Amino acid sequence: MTTRLPKDLTLEEVGDDHIPGSLETPLRPDAFEMDDDLKIELIKKHFKEIMQIMGLDLTDDSLKGTPERVAKMYVKEVFSGLNPKNKPKVRLFENKYNYTQMLVEKDITLYSYCEHHFVPIIGKAHVAYFSGNNKVIGLSKLNRIVQYFAKRPQVQERLTEQIAQELKEALKTDDVAVVIDAAHLCVSSRGIKDTTSSTVTSHYSGKFLQEKYKNEFLKYLG
Ligand SMILES: [Zn+2]
C-alpha cells in the first residue's frame, strides 16, 4: 500500500524508515464486515501460502498447525484491538477519598506490533492523571486501555497519542500523561541490529504541561 506515504515519496525512497501517519489507525470502512471466524479462515489460507512459497513442508507435524495458530493469534489476540467491540468499557467511580493528587500507574507491560514490519514492540507504558469532576477509574482499566491500543499494528507515536486521547475521554479530564519506553524488534533483530536502543515517546497535557507536575511524574518513573 503506497497510499499512506507522503505524496511525493515512493516506497523505494522511504525504504526501511518508519514514517509517521495519522492519529487514527488506518482502517478500511468495511473492516468488520467479515466476522472473526471468516477472517481466521482466510488468514490461515494465506499464511499457509506464504509458508509454502518460502519452501516449508506443511505436512511436517511441527508446521502443519502453524497457519491456523497464526490466524487465531492475529484475530483473537495480538490484533484484537483493531475491533472496537473489544474496547474496554470504562466505569468511573465517585472519588470517595477526595484524593486530588496525581495518580500514576507505571510499568504497564506493553506488547505491540510494528505496522511496518509486523514484528513485536516490547516495552513499558506509564500513565498518570488527576481525577476530574471528582471521579476515579478502576486501576486495572488503565492497563486495559493501554493493552487495547497496543493490540494493533502500530507506530509508537500513534499508540502514545491514542492512549492519551482515550484516557482524556474516559476520565473526563485533560490532565493526563503517557510515557512509553519500548524496544522495536525490527530495529534490534534486523536492519541496523541495534540490540540496546529503546524508543521513548510521551504525551503531556493539562496540568502535566507544568514543569512541577511533569517532573513529579518523571520522578516516580525513576
Ligand atoms: Zn518496524
Side-chain angles (χ1 to χ4, degrees):
M1 288 259 286
T2 53
T3 47
R4 289 190 49 247
L5 298 176
K7 260 212 251 359
D8 46 347
L9 287 177
T10 64
L11 185 58
E12 286 69 35
E13 286 168 317
V14 171
D16 242 10
D17 270 349
H18 293 84
I19 32 167
S22 66
L23 174 60
E24 293 298 319
T25 297
L27 280 169
R28 299 172 358 149
D30 62 354
F32 304 105
E33 281 176 14
M34 280 184 225
D35 64 16
D36 283 1
D37 289 343
L38 181 55
K39 286 185 181 188
I40 289 170
E41 212 40 52
L42 290 172
I43 293 170
K44 175 183 164 185
K45 183 176 135 224
H46 288 287
F47 201 81
K48 188 173 175 183
E49 209 155 313
I50 290 172
M51 292 174 73
Q52 262 158 354
I53 292 166
M54 290 193 297
L56 292 163
D57 179 3
L58 270 295
T59 64
D60 184 273
D61 272 347
S62 172
L63 294 180
K64 67 181 176 206
T66 300
E68 185 167 7
R69 273 192 293 271
V70 170
K72 279 186 177 159
M73 180 182 75
Y74 274 14
V75 175
K76 296 291 191 190
E77 296 173 73
V78 300
F79 300 132
S80 60
L82 285 172
N83 194 332
K85 77 169 198 250
N86 296 323
K87 189 167 163 177
K89 308 223 177 344
V90 170
R91 221 177 100 212
L92 295 179
F93 300 92
E94 220 46 61
N95 181 5
K96 289 195 183 125
Y97 311 106
N98 289 313
Y99 182 79
T100 56
Q101 300 301 304
M102 179 186 307
L103 186 143
V104 180
E105 182 82 355
K106 66 174 191 174
D107 294 330
I108 299 170
T109 303
L110 180 115
Y111 286 102
S112 191
Y113 273 75
C114 159
E115 71 179 19
H116 301 127
H117 297 95
F118 270 54
V119 294
I121 298 170
I122 301 169
K124 298 280 184 196
H126 317 284
V127 304
Y129 76 100
F130 285 90
S131 110
N133 304 327
N134 220 22
K135 298 277 191 204
V136 293
I137 192 174
L139 291 182
S140 70
K141 287 290 185 208
L142 297 172
N143 302 55
R144 283 184 200 285
I145 288 170
V146 168
Q147 272 144 18
Y148 169 69
F149 289 102
K151 287 179 176 181
R152 296 177 173 191
Q154 276 289 12
V155 291
Q156 191 174 322
E157 295 92 327
R158 186 202 295 127
L159 175 59
T160 308
E161 291 298 321
Q162 286 181 336
I163 292 167
Q165 200 59 41
E166 178 60 22
L167 289 175
K168 286 182 203 179
E169 275 167 36
L171 294 159
K172 316 246 181 285
T173 176
D174 258 353
D175 303 330
V176 307
V178 179
V179 167
I180 294 178
D181 185 350
H184 293 232
L185 261 60
C186 53
V187 176
S188 58
S189 72
R190 50 165 300 287
I192 61 168
K193 289 198 173 66
D194 186 330
T195 55
T196 54
S197 69
S198 71
T199 305
V200 180
T201 47
S202 61
H203 176 107
Y204 299 104
S205 52
K207 284 186 178 178
F208 288 94
L209 292 170
Q210 298 175 40
E211 279 314 295
K212 63 171 176 177
Y213 294 123
K214 186 191 284 191
N215 289 339
E216 183 185 341
F217 172 54
L218 292 174
K219 196 184 78 203
Y220 296 134
L221 305 190

Coordinates of all heavy atoms in Angstrom, one line a residue, residues 50-131:
I50 N 2.1 -18.4 2.2 CA 3.4 -17.7 2.5 C 4.4 -18.7 2.9 O 5.6 -18.7 2.4 CB 3.2 -16.6 3.6 CG1 2.4 -15.4 3.0 CG2 4.6 -16.1 4.0 CD1 2.1 -14.4 4.1
M51 N 4.0 -19.6 3.8 CA 5.0 -20.6 4.3 C 5.4 -21.6 3.1 O 6.6 -22.0 3.0 CB 4.4 -21.4 5.4 CG 4.2 -20.6 6.7 SD 3.3 -21.5 8.0 CE 4.6 -22.7 8.5
Q52 N 4.4 -21.9 2.3 CA 4.7 -22.8 1.1 C 5.7 -22.1 0.2 O 6.6 -22.7 -0.3 CB 3.4 -23.2 0.4 CG 3.0 -24.5 0.9 CD 1.5 -24.8 0.7 OE1 0.7 -23.9 0.2 NE2 1.0 -26.0 0.9
I53 N 5.4 -20.8 -0.1 CA 6.3 -20.1 -1.0 C 7.7 -20.1 -0.5 O 8.7 -20.2 -1.2 CB 5.8 -18.6 -1.2 CG1 4.5 -18.7 -2.0 CG2 6.8 -17.8 -2.0 CD1 3.7 -17.4 -2.0
M54 N 7.9 -20.0 0.9 CA 9.2 -20.0 1.4 C 9.8 -21.4 1.4 O 11.0 -21.6 1.8 CB 9.1 -19.5 2.9 CG 8.8 -18.0 2.9 SD 9.1 -17.2 4.5 CE 7.9 -18.0 5.5
G55 N 9.1 -22.3 1.0 CA 9.6 -23.7 0.8 C 9.4 -24.6 2.0 O 10.0 -25.7 2.0
L56 N 8.6 -24.2 2.9 CA 8.4 -25.0 4.1 C 7.5 -26.2 3.8 O 6.5 -26.0 3.0 CB 7.9 -24.2 5.3 CG 8.9 -23.2 5.8 CD1 8.2 -22.1 6.6 CD2 10.0 -23.8 6.6
D57 N 7.7 -27.3 4.4 CA 6.9 -28.5 4.2 C 5.8 -28.5 5.2 O 6.0 -28.8 6.4 CB 7.8 -29.7 4.4 CG 7.0 -31.0 4.2 OD1 5.8 -31.0 3.9 OD2 7.6 -32.1 4.4
L58 N 4.6 -28.2 4.7 CA 3.4 -28.1 5.6 C 2.9 -29.4 6.1 O 1.9 -29.4 6.8 CB 2.3 -27.3 4.9 CG 2.3 -25.7 5.1 CD1 2.0 -25.3 6.5 CD2 3.6 -25.1 4.7
T59 N 3.4 -30.5 5.6 CA 3.0 -31.8 6.1 C 3.8 -32.2 7.3 O 3.4 -33.1 8.0 CB 3.2 -32.9 5.0 OG1 4.6 -33.1 4.7 CG2 2.4 -32.6 3.7
D60 N 4.8 -31.4 7.6 CA 5.6 -31.7 8.8 C 4.7 -31.5 10.1 O 4.0 -30.5 10.2 CB 6.8 -30.8 8.9 CG 7.7 -31.1 10.0 OD1 7.5 -30.5 11.1 OD2 8.7 -31.9 9.9
D61 N 4.8 -32.4 11.0 CA 4.0 -32.3 12.2 C 4.1 -31.0 13.0 O 3.1 -30.5 13.5 CB 4.3 -33.4 13.2 CG 3.5 -34.7 12.9 OD1 2.6 -34.6 12.1 OD2 3.9 -35.8 13.4
S62 N 5.3 -30.5 13.0 CA 5.6 -29.3 13.8 C 5.0 -28.0 13.1 O 4.7 -27.1 13.7 CB 7.1 -29.1 14.0 OG 7.3 -27.9 14.6
L63 N 4.9 -28.1 11.7 CA 4.5 -26.9 11.0 C 3.0 -26.9 10.6 O 2.5 -25.8 10.3 CB 5.3 -26.8 9.7 CG 6.8 -26.5 9.8 CD1 7.4 -26.4 8.4 CD2 7.0 -25.2 10.6
K64 N 2.4 -28.1 10.6 CA 1.1 -28.1 9.9 C 0.0 -27.3 10.6 O -0.9 -26.8 10.0 CB 0.6 -29.5 9.6 CG 0.3 -30.4 10.7 CD -0.1 -31.7 10.2 CE -0.3 -32.7 11.4 NZ -0.1 -34.1 11.0
G65 N 0.2 -27.1 11.9 CA -0.8 -26.3 12.6 C -0.5 -24.8 12.7 O -1.3 -24.0 13.2
T66 N 0.6 -24.4 12.1 CA 1.1 -23.0 12.2 C 0.1 -22.0 11.6 O -0.2 -21.0 12.2 CB 2.5 -22.9 11.7 OG1 3.4 -23.7 12.5 CG2 3.0 -21.5 11.8
P67 N -0.3 -22.3 10.3 CA -1.2 -21.3 9.7 C -2.4 -21.0 10.6 O -2.8 -19.8 10.7 CB -1.6 -21.9 8.4 CG -0.4 -22.8 8.1 CD 0.0 -23.4 9.4
E68 N -3.0 -22.0 11.1 CA -4.2 -21.8 12.0 C -3.9 -21.1 13.3 O -4.6 -20.1 13.7 CB -4.9 -23.1 12.2 CG -6.2 -22.8 13.0 CD -7.1 -24.0 13.0 OE1 -6.7 -25.1 12.6 OE2 -8.3 -23.9 13.5
R69 N -2.7 -21.5 13.9 CA -2.3 -20.8 15.1 C -2.1 -19.3 14.9 O -2.5 -18.5 15.7 CB -1.0 -21.4 15.7 CG -1.3 -22.6 16.6 CD 0.0 -23.0 17.3 NE 1.0 -23.6 16.4 CZ 1.1 -24.8 16.0 NH1 0.3 -25.7 16.5 NH2 2.0 -25.2 15.1
V70 N -1.4 -19.0 13.8 CA -1.1 -17.6 13.5 C -2.4 -16.8 13.2 O -2.6 -15.7 13.8 CB -0.1 -17.5 12.3 CG1 0.0 -16.0 11.8 CG2 1.2 -18.1 12.6
A71 N -3.3 -17.4 12.5 CA -4.5 -16.7 12.1 C -5.3 -16.4 13.4 O -5.8 -15.3 13.6 CB -5.4 -17.6 11.2
K72 N -5.4 -17.4 14.3 CA -6.2 -17.2 15.5 C -5.5 -16.1 16.4 O -6.1 -15.3 17.0 CB -6.3 -18.5 16.3 CG -7.4 -19.4 15.9 CD -7.5 -20.6 16.8 CE -8.6 -21.5 16.4 NZ -8.5 -22.9 16.9
M73 N -4.2 -16.2 16.5 CA -3.4 -15.3 17.3 C -3.6 -13.8 16.8 O -3.8 -12.9 17.5 CB -1.9 -15.7 17.3 CG -1.0 -14.8 18.0 SD 0.7 -15.2 17.9 CE 1.1 -14.7 16.2
Y74 N -3.6 -13.7 15.5 CA -3.8 -12.3 14.9 C -5.2 -11.8 15.2 O -5.3 -10.7 15.7 CB -3.7 -12.4 13.3 CG -2.3 -12.3 12.8 CD1 -1.1 -12.5 13.6 CD2 -2.0 -12.1 11.4 CE1 0.1 -12.4 13.1 CE2 -0.8 -12.0 10.9 CZ 0.3 -12.1 11.8 OH 1.6 -12.0 11.2
V75 N -6.2 -12.6 15.0 CA -7.6 -12.1 15.1 C -8.0 -12.0 16.5 O -8.6 -11.0 17.0 CB -8.5 -12.9 14.3 CG1 -10.0 -12.5 14.5 CG2 -8.2 -12.9 12.8
K76 N -7.7 -13.0 17.3 CA -8.2 -13.1 18.7 C -7.3 -12.4 19.8 O -7.8 -12.1 20.8 CB -8.5 -14.5 19.1 CG -9.6 -15.2 18.3 CD -11.0 -14.6 18.6 CE -12.1 -15.4 17.9 NZ -13.4 -14.7 18.0
E77 N -6.0 -12.4 19.4 CA -5.1 -11.8 20.5 C -4.4 -10.6 20.0 O -4.8 -9.5 20.3 CB -4.1 -12.9 20.9 CG -4.8 -14.1 21.5 CD -3.8 -15.3 21.8 OE1 -2.9 -15.1 22.7 OE2 -3.8 -16.3 21.1
V78 N -3.3 -10.8 19.3 CA -2.4 -9.6 19.1 C -2.9 -8.5 18.3 O -2.5 -7.4 18.4 CB -1.0 -10.1 18.6 CG1 -0.3 -11.1 19.5 CG2 -1.1 -10.6 17.2
F79 N -4.0 -8.7 17.5 CA -4.6 -7.6 16.7 C -6.0 -7.4 17.1 O -6.8 -6.8 16.4 CB -4.4 -7.8 15.2 CG -2.9 -7.8 14.8 CD1 -2.5 -8.8 14.0 CD2 -2.0 -6.9 15.3 CE1 -1.1 -8.9 13.6 CE2 -0.7 -7.0 14.9 CZ -0.2 -8.0 14.1
S80 N -6.4 -7.9 18.2 CA -7.8 -7.8 18.7 C -8.2 -6.4 19.0 O -9.4 -6.1 19.0 CB -8.1 -8.7 19.9 OG -7.3 -8.3 20.9
G81 N -7.2 -5.5 19.2 CA -7.6 -4.1 19.5 C -8.0 -3.3 18.2 O -8.3 -2.2 18.3
L82 N -8.0 -4.0 17.1 CA -8.5 -3.3 15.9 C -10.0 -3.2 16.0 O -10.6 -2.2 15.4 CB -8.1 -4.0 14.6 CG -6.6 -4.0 14.2 CD1 -6.4 -4.9 13.0 CD2 -6.3 -2.5 13.7
N83 N -10.6 -4.1 16.6 CA -12.1 -4.2 16.6 C -12.7 -3.4 17.8 O -12.5 -3.8 18.9 CB -12.5 -5.7 16.7 CG -14.0 -5.8 16.3 OD1 -14.8 -4.9 16.5 ND2 -14.3 -7.0 15.8
P84 N -13.4 -2.4 17.5 CA -14.0 -1.5 18.5 C -14.8 -2.3 19.5 O -15.0 -1.9 20.7 CB -14.9 -0.5 17.8 CG -14.5 -0.6 16.4 CD -13.8 -1.9 16.1
K85 N -15.3 -3.5 19.1 CA -16.2 -4.2 20.1 C -15.3 -4.8 21.2 O -15.8 -5.1 22.3 CB -16.9 -5.4 19.4 CG -16.1 -6.6 19.0 CD -17.0 -7.7 18.6 CE -16.2 -9.0 18.7 NZ -15.8 -9.7 17.5
N86 N -14.0 -4.8 21.1 CA -13.1 -5.2 22.1 C -12.6 -4.1 23.0 O -11.8 -4.3 23.9 CB -11.9 -6.0 21.6 CG -12.4 -7.2 20.9 OD1 -13.3 -7.9 21.3 ND2 -11.7 -7.6 19.7
K87 N -13.1 -2.9 22.8 CA -12.6 -1.7 23.6 C -13.1 -1.9 25.0 O -14.3 -2.2 25.2 CB -13.2 -0.5 22.9 CG -12.7 0.8 23.5 CD -13.1 1.9 22.6 CE -12.9 3.3 23.3 NZ -13.2 4.4 22.4
P88 N -12.2 -1.7 26.0 CA -12.7 -1.8 27.4 C -13.8 -0.8 27.8 O -13.7 0.3 27.4 CB -11.4 -1.6 28.2 CG -10.4 -1.1 27.3 CD -10.8 -1.3 25.9
K89 N -14.8 -1.3 28.4 CA -15.8 -0.4 28.9 C -15.4 0.2 30.2 O -15.0 -0.5 31.1 CB -17.1 -1.2 29.1 CG -17.5 -2.0 27.9 CD -18.9 -2.0 27.5 CE -19.2 -2.8 26.2 NZ -18.0 -3.1 25.4
V90 N -15.4 1.5 30.2 CA -14.9 2.2 31.4 C -16.0 2.7 32.3 O -17.0 3.3 31.8 CB -14.0 3.4 30.9 CG1 -13.6 4.2 32.1 CG2 -12.7 2.8 30.3
R91 N -15.9 2.4 33.6 CA -16.9 3.0 34.5 C -16.1 3.9 35.5 O -15.1 3.5 36.0 CB -17.6 1.8 35.2 CG -19.0 2.1 35.4 CD -19.7 0.9 36.1 NE -19.9 1.2 37.5 CZ -19.8 0.3 38.5 NH1 -19.5 -1.0 38.2 NH2 -20.0 0.6 39.7
L92 N -16.7 5.0 35.8 CA -16.0 5.9 36.7 C -16.7 5.7 38.1 O -17.9 5.5 38.2 CB -16.1 7.3 36.3 CG -15.3 7.7 35.0 CD1 -15.4 9.1 34.6 CD2 -13.8 7.3 35.1
F93 N -15.9 5.9 39.1 CA -16.4 5.8 40.5 C -16.3 7.2 41.2 O -15.4 8.0 40.9 CB -15.7 4.8 41.3 CG -15.7 3.4 40.7 CD1 -14.7 3.0 39.8 CD2 -16.8 2.6 41.0 CE1 -14.8 1.7 39.2 CE2 -16.9 1.3 40.4 CZ -15.9 0.9 39.5
E94 N -17.2 7.3 42.1 CA -17.1 8.5 43.0 C -15.7 8.5 43.7 O -15.3 7.5 44.2 CB -18.2 8.4 44.0 CG -18.9 9.7 44.4 CD -19.3 10.5 43.1 OE1 -20.1 10.0 42.3 OE2 -18.8 11.7 43.0
N95 N -15.1 9.7 43.7 CA -13.8 9.8 44.4 C -14.0 10.0 45.9 O -13.9 11.1 46.4 CB -13.0 11.0 43.8 CG -11.7 11.2 44.4 OD1 -11.2 10.4 45.2 ND2 -11.0 12.3 44.0
K96 N -14.3 8.9 46.6 CA -14.8 9.0 48.0 C -13.7 9.5 48.9 O -14.0 10.0 50.0 CB -15.2 7.6 48.5 CG -16.6 7.2 47.8 CD -17.2 6.0 48.6 CE -18.5 5.6 47.9 NZ -18.5 4.2 47.5
Y97 N -12.4 9.2 48.6 CA -11.4 9.7 49.5 C -11.0 11.1 49.2 O -10.0 11.6 49.8 CB -10.1 8.8 49.3 CG -10.5 7.3 49.3 CD1 -10.5 6.6 48.2 CD2 -10.8 6.7 50.5 CE1 -10.8 5.2 48.2 CE2 -11.2 5.4 50.6 CZ -11.2 4.6 49.4 OH -11.5 3.3 49.4
N98 N -11.6 11.7 48.3 CA -11.2 13.1 47.9 C -9.8 13.2 47.6 O -9.1 14.1 47.9 CB -11.6 14.1 49.0 CG -13.1 14.3 49.0 OD1 -13.8 14.5 48.0 ND2 -13.7 14.2 50.2
Y99 N -9.3 12.1 46.9 CA -7.9 12.1 46.5 C -7.7 13.1 45.3 O -8.3 12.9 44.3 CB -7.5 10.7 46.1 CG -6.0 10.6 45.7 CD1 -5.0 10.5 46.7 CD2 -5.7 10.5 44.4 CE1 -3.7 10.4 46.3 CE2 -4.3 10.4 44.0 CZ -3.3 10.3 45.0 OH -2.0 10.2 44.6
T100 N -6.9 14.1 45.5 CA -6.7 15.1 44.5 C -5.3 15.2 43.9 O -5.1 16.0 43.0 CB -7.1 16.5 45.0 OG1 -6.2 16.8 46.1 CG2 -8.5 16.6 45.4
Q101 N -4.5 14.3 44.4 CA -3.1 14.3 43.9 C -3.0 13.5 42.6 O -4.0 12.8 42.1 CB -2.1 13.7 44.9 CG -2.1 14.5 46.2 CD -1.7 15.9 46.0 OE1 -0.7 16.2 45.5 NE2 -2.6 16.9 46.4
M102 N -1.8 13.5 42.1 CA -1.5 12.7 40.8 C -1.6 11.2 41.1 O -1.2 10.7 42.1 CB -0.1 13.1 40.4 CG 0.4 12.4 39.2 SD 2.1 12.8 38.9 CE 2.2 14.5 38.9
L103 N -2.3 10.5 40.2 CA -2.2 9.0 40.3 C -1.4 8.5 39.1 O -1.6 8.9 38.0 CB -3.6 8.5 40.2 CG -3.7 6.9 40.5 CD1 -4.9 6.6 41.3 CD2 -3.6 6.1 39.2
V104 N -0.4 7.7 39.5 CA 0.5 7.1 38.5 C 0.3 5.6 38.4 O 0.4 4.9 39.4 CB 1.9 7.5 38.8 CG1 2.9 6.9 37.7 CG2 2.1 9.0 38.9
E105 N 0.1 5.1 37.2 CA 0.2 3.6 37.0 C 1.4 3.4 36.2 O 1.4 3.8 35.0 CB -1.1 3.2 36.3 CG -1.3 1.7 36.1 CD -1.7 0.9 37.3 OE1 -1.9 1.5 38.4 OE2 -1.9 -0.3 37.2
K106 N 2.4 2.8 36.8 CA 3.6 2.7 36.0 C 4.0 1.2 35.7 O 3.4 0.3 36.2 CB 4.8 3.4 36.7 CG 5.2 2.8 38.0 CD 6.5 3.5 38.5 CE 7.1 2.7 39.7 NZ 8.4 3.3 40.1
D107 N 4.9 1.1 34.7 CA 5.4 -0.3 34.3 C 4.3 -1.2 33.8 O 4.3 -2.4 34.1 CB 6.2 -0.9 35.5 CG 7.4 -0.2 35.8 OD1 8.1 0.4 34.9 OD2 7.8 -0.2 37.0
I108 N 3.4 -0.6 33.1 CA 2.4 -1.5 32.4 C 3.0 -2.2 31.3 O 3.6 -1.6 30.4 CB 1.2 -0.6 31.9 CG1 0.5 0.2 33.0 CG2 0.2 -1.5 31.2 CD1 -0.4 1.2 32.6
T109 N 3.0 -3.5 31.3 CA 3.6 -4.3 30.3 C 3.0 -4.1 28.9 O 1.7 -4.1 28.8 CB 3.5 -5.8 30.6 OG1 4.1 -6.0 31.9 CG2 4.3 -6.7 29.6
L110 N 3.8 -3.8 28.0 CA 3.3 -3.5 26.6 C 3.8 -4.4 25.6 O 5.1 -4.5 25.4 CB 3.7 -2.0 26.4 CG 3.2 -1.5 25.0 CD1 2.3 -0.3 25.3 CD2 4.4 -1.0 24.2
Y111 N 2.9 -5.1 24.9 CA 3.3 -5.8 23.7 C 2.5 -5.3 22.5 O 1.3 -5.3 22.5 CB 3.0 -7.3 23.8 CG 3.9 -8.1 24.8 CD1 3.5 -8.3 26.1 CD2 5.1 -8.5 24.4 CE1 4.3 -9.0 27.0 CE2 5.9 -9.2 25.2 CZ 5.5 -9.4 26.5 OH 6.3 -10.1 27.4
S112 N 3.2 -4.8 21.5 CA 2.5 -4.3 20.3 C 3.3 -4.9 19.1 O 4.2 -5.6 19.3 CB 2.4 -2.8 20.3 OG 1.5 -2.4 19.3
Y113 N 2.8 -4.4 17.9 CA 3.5 -4.9 16.7 C 3.8 -3.7 15.8 O 2.9 -2.8 15.6 CB 2.6 -5.8 15.9 CG 2.8 -7.3 16.4 CD1 2.2 -7.7 17.6 CD2 3.5 -8.2 15.6 CE1 2.4 -9.0 18.0 CE2 3.7 -9.5 16.0 CZ 3.1 -9.9 17.2 OH 3.3 -11.2 17.6
C114 N 5.0 -3.6 15.3 CA 5.3 -2.6 14.4 C 4.5 -2.8 13.1 O 4.6 -3.8 12.5 CB 6.8 -2.6 14.1 SG 7.3 -1.9 12.6
E115 N 3.8 -1.7 12.7 CA 3.0 -1.9 11.5 C 3.8 -1.9 10.2 O 3.2 -2.2 9.1 CB 1.9 -0.8 11.4 CG 2.3 0.6 11.1 CD 1.2 1.6 11.1 OE1 0.1 1.3 11.6 OE2 1.4 2.6 10.5
H116 N 5.0 -1.5 10.3 CA 5.9 -1.5 9.1 C 6.5 -2.8 8.8 O 6.9 -3.1 7.7 CB 6.9 -0.4 9.1 CG 6.3 0.9 9.3 ND1 6.7 1.8 10.3 CD2 5.3 1.6 8.6 CE1 6.0 2.9 10.2 NE2 5.1 2.8 9.2
H117 N 6.7 -3.6 9.8 CA 7.4 -4.9 9.7 C 6.7 -6.1 10.3 O 7.1 -7.2 10.1 CB 8.8 -4.9 10.3 CG 9.7 -3.9 9.7 ND1 9.9 -2.6 10.2 CD2 10.5 -3.9 8.6 CE1 10.7 -1.9 9.4 NE2 11.1 -2.7 8.5
F118 N 5.6 -5.8 11.0 CA 4.9 -6.9 11.7 C 5.7 -7.7 12.6 O 5.6 -8.9 12.7 CB 4.1 -7.8 10.7 CG 2.7 -7.2 10.4 CD1 2.5 -5.9 10.0 CD2 1.6 -8.1 10.6 CE1 1.2 -5.4 9.8 CE2 0.3 -7.6 10.4 CZ 0.1 -6.3 9.9
V119 N 6.6 -7.1 13.4 CA 7.4 -7.7 14.4 C 7.1 -7.0 15.7 O 6.7 -5.8 15.7 CB 8.9 -7.8 14.1 CG1 9.1 -8.7 12.9 CG2 9.5 -6.5 13.9
P120 N 7.4 -7.6 16.9 CA 6.9 -7.0 18.1 C 7.6 -5.7 18.5 O 8.8 -5.5 18.2 CB 7.3 -8.1 19.2 CG 7.3 -9.4 18.4 CD 7.8 -9.0 17.0
I121 N 6.9 -5.0 19.3 CA 7.4 -3.8 20.0 C 7.1 -4.2 21.5 O 6.0 -4.5 21.8 CB 6.5 -2.5 19.7 CG1 6.7 -2.2 18.2 CG2 7.0 -1.4 20.6 CD1 5.7 -1.0 17.8
I122 N 8.2 -4.2 22.3 CA 8.0 -4.7 23.6 C 8.5 -3.6 24.6 O 9.6 -3.1 24.4 CB 8.9 -6.0 23.9 CG1 8.4 -7.1 22.9 CG2 8.7 -6.5 25.3 CD1 9.3 -8.3 22.9
G123 N 7.7 -3.3 25.6 CA 8.2 -2.3 26.5 C 7.3 -2.0 27.7 O 6.5 -3.0 28.1
K124 N 7.3 -0.8 28.2 CA 6.5 -0.4 29.3 C 5.8 0.9 29.0 O 6.4 1.7 28.4 CB 7.4 -0.2 30.5 CG 8.2 -1.4 31.0 CD 7.4 -2.3 31.8 CE 8.2 -3.5 32.4 NZ 7.3 -4.6 32.8
A125 N 4.6 0.9 29.5 CA 3.9 2.2 29.4 C 3.6 2.7 30.9 O 3.5 1.9 31.8 CB 2.5 2.0 28.8
H126 N 3.7 4.0 31.0 CA 3.4 4.7 32.3 C 2.4 5.7 32.0 O 2.5 6.5 31.1 CB 4.7 5.3 32.8 CG 5.9 4.5 32.7 ND1 6.2 3.4 33.5 CD2 7.0 4.5 31.8 CE1 7.3 2.8 33.1 NE2 7.8 3.5 32.1
V127 N 1.3 5.7 32.8 CA 0.3 6.7 32.6 C 0.0 7.4 34.0 O 0.2 6.8 35.0 CB -1.0 6.1 32.0 CG1 -0.7 5.4 30.7 CG2 -1.7 5.2 33.0
A128 N -0.5 8.6 33.9 CA -0.9 9.3 35.1 C -2.0 10.3 34.8 O -2.2 10.7 33.7 CB 0.3 10.1 35.6
Y129 N -2.8 10.6 35.8 CA -3.8 11.5 35.7 C -4.2 12.2 37.0 O -3.8 11.7 38.1 CB -5.1 10.9 35.1 CG -5.9 10.0 36.0 CD1 -7.1 10.5 36.6 CD2 -5.6 8.7 36.3 CE1 -7.9 9.8 37.4 CE2 -6.3 8.0 37.2 CZ -7.5 8.5 37.7 OH -8.3 7.7 38.6
F130 N -4.9 13.3 36.9 CA -5.5 13.9 38.1 C -7.0 13.7 37.9 O -7.5 13.9 36.8 CB -5.2 15.4 38.1 CG -3.8 15.8 38.6 CD1 -2.8 15.9 37.6 CD2 -3.6 16.0 39.9 CE1 -1.5 16.2 38.0 CE2 -2.3 16.4 40.3 CZ -1.3 16.5 39.4
S131 N -7.7 13.3 38.9 CA -9.1 13.0 38.8 C -9.9 14.3 38.4 O -9.7 15.3 39.0 CB -9.6 12.3 40.0 OG -10.5 13.1 40.7

